[in-house]
Amino acid sequence: MPAPTLLPSTMKAICFTQAGAPDVLHLETIQVPQPGRGEVLVRVMAAGVNRPDIMQRKGLYPPPPGASPRLGLEIAGEVVAHGLPQEGVTMPAIGSRICALANGGGYAEYCLVPAGQCLPWPEGFNAIEAAALPETFFTVWSNLFMPTMLPKNARVLIHGGSSGIGTTAIQLVKAFGGTPFATAGTDEKCALCEQLGAQAINYKTEDFAERIAELTKGEGVNVILDMVGGPYFERNLKSLAFDGKLIIIALQGGAKAEQANLVRIMTHRLIVTGSTLRPRDSASKARIAQDLKAKVWPLLTNRTIRPLIHQTFPLAQAAAAHQAMEDGHHLGKIILTVDSLAV
């Protein structure tokens, strides 16, 4: 079905023509995209800023085939148009307010999203809060709670505990009966992790592997959610209990681990795995969305868990938002506001 005639033909969007520092980002006027089969067009009110956006801007994380080349992987806004229906896919109603895991293009006034990747705003949320949900909650839930739920009483070490991913993971682990531990780089960030329910370790002043051994009386943790990569690999293995699992979801510290005790993997029956969210197909992301709606959205509605918003920037100041993320001082999410109704 064609987009309604009342929709504008052009929109403002953040673009960049070459990889580089945050100042390569600029606002352009481009065509409003038209929804294809199984897609919805969303008038964006707010969009989340995430580490993959930073990596893509630097030329280090190209979008997968078929994805939008523009930045922005999570949005909140109003559905304004539908594409043709797709079998097995429920379209959110025109006029409904949704948040969504986008396949790119979220830094704009309008964004195309596969219908299955949309979720309603939790009751009582505004656009800024709703835009803070998809990327982090899809990532944490799919890695820690799917395809099987994290066992109750599981000890979970979360690196980058004060980040959007980290604050989400701490709260979800706690809410579902686990014991979260978290690393962070300042006393302020550690204090935030502890307020959310984690036992925090300042990785700049303590060896996290030694501290985990002390805190668990030598038993180690059952699961580690790691965003650092190579430099932490050996210490991660040391921190795992028998039958423990290391889940690598980012490589902020580098992709190579020069030394690793493979004997420990064998003798402790350890599992080392990893994943990325963006290249997954729409059906896979839709399954995550439905699981979140059933099991996590009620916790957001009653405020058992909540997104932490560090700072908001107008869409035109996307470069400043990227610089704020790269500076590394943020506690929680950084959000771009696209619409005056976002709050």
Side-chain angles (χ1 to χ4, degrees), residues 145-219:
F145 298 90
M146 292 178 71
T148 58
M149 289 291 288
L150 187 76
K152 287 188 176 181
N153 302 316
R155 299 182 297 275
V156 183
L157 172 59
I158 300 150
H159 291 304
S162 63
S163 67
I165 291 284
T167 54
T168 298
I170 290 170
Q171 292 183 85
L172 285 175
V173 169
K174 188 77 173 178
F176 285 92
T179 301
F181 301 83
T183 61
T186 69
D187 290 343
E188 181 186 14
K189 291 180 177 181
C190 285
L192 172 64
C193 295
E194 290 174 350
Q195 289 170 15
L196 295 174
Q199 297 184 65
I201 303 165
N202 187 329
Y203 66 82
K204 291 185 177 179
T205 60
E206 299 179 286
D207 183 298
F208 73 80
E210 294 178 359
R211 186 66 178 135
I212 285 294
E214 293 173 1
L215 291 171
T216 64
K217 297 180 171 55
E219 293 186 7

Side-chain angles (χ1 to χ4, degrees), residues 63-333:
S68 170
R70 298 196 310 278
L71 300 177
L73 297 176
E74 61 182 348
I75 60 168
E78 180 184 354
V79 176
V80 293
H82 286 167
L84 291 172
Q86 186 173 20
E87 186 177 355
V89 176
T90 301
M91 294 290 200
I94 300 292
S96 61
R97 291 189 168 184
I98 58 91
C99 57
L101 185 71
N103 295 337
Y107 291 12
E109 292 178 314
Y110 292 88
C111 180
L112 288 181
V113 183
Q117 294 169 209
C118 298
L119 285 161
W121 293 8
E123 186 177 342
F125 273 49
N126 60 33
I128 291 170
E129 294 171 314
L133 301 176
E135 176 71 13
T136 53
F137 277 79
F138 274 68
T139 297
V140 173
W141 190 258
S142 62
N143 281 286
L144 291 182
F145 298 90
M146 292 178 71
T148 58
M149 289 291 288
L150 187 76
K152 287 188 176 181
N153 302 316
R155 299 182 297 275
V156 183
L157 172 59
I158 300 150
H159 291 304
S162 63
S163 67
I165 291 284
T167 54
T168 298
I170 290 170
Q171 292 183 85
L172 285 175
V173 169
K174 188 77 173 178
F176 285 92
T179 301
F181 301 83
T183 61
T186 69
D187 290 343
E188 181 186 14
K189 291 180 177 181
C190 285
L192 172 64
C193 295
E194 290 174 350
Q195 289 170 15
L196 295 174
Q199 297 184 65
I201 303 165
N202 187 329
Y203 66 82
K204 291 185 177 179
T205 60
E206 299 179 286
D207 183 298
F208 73 80
E210 294 178 359
R211 186 66 178 135
I212 285 294
E214 293 173 1
L215 291 171
T216 64
K217 297 180 171 55
E219 293 186 7
V221 294
N222 306 109
V223 182
I224 298 175
L225 189 66
D226 178 43
M227 296 176 267
V228 178
Y232 276 14
F233 190 71
E234 177 68 17
R235 282 180 288 167
N236 279 336
L237 297 183
K238 289 180 180 178
S239 300
L240 284 169
F242 280 91
D243 298 306
K245 186 176 184 179
L246 168 61
I247 305 168
I248 302 169
I249 60 170
L251 302 169
Q252 294 178 22
K256 294 184 178 180
E258 300 298 336
Q259 294 182 341
N261 186 352
L262 302 183
V263 172
R264 185 175 180 87
I265 295 177
M266 298 165 63
T267 59
H268 282 63
R269 303 182 297 275
L270 304 181
I271 297 173
V272 179
T273 186
S275 73
T276 54
L277 181 61
R278 192 172 187 187
R280 297 191 189 192
D281 62 27
S282 291
S284 173
K285 294 173 183 176
R287 287 192 293 271
I288 301 170
Q290 291 308 304
D291 218 37
L292 284 168
K293 184 178 180 181
K295 298 171 182 172
V296 176
W297 253 230
L299 300 179
L300 289 162
T301 294
N302 66 25
R303 297 286 177 165
T304 299
I305 56 178
R306 60 189 174 88
L308 273 72
I309 311 300
H310 175 74
Q311 191 173 1
T312 64
F313 293 84
L315 178 65
Q317 295 179 21
H322 273 222
Q323 188 61 62
M325 176 163 278
E326 290 195 62
D327 289 343
H329 303 309
H330 57 289
L331 305 174
K333 296 286 293 187

Side-chain angles (χ1 to χ4, degrees), residues 17-42:
T17 56
Q18 61 182 21
D23 60 8
V24 301
L25 301 179
H26 58 276
L27 201 62
E28 284 190 14
T29 299
I30 63 173
Q31 292 294 309
V32 172
Q34 300 299 308
R37 186 177 296 275
E39 291 182 322
V40 296
L41 182 66
V42 180

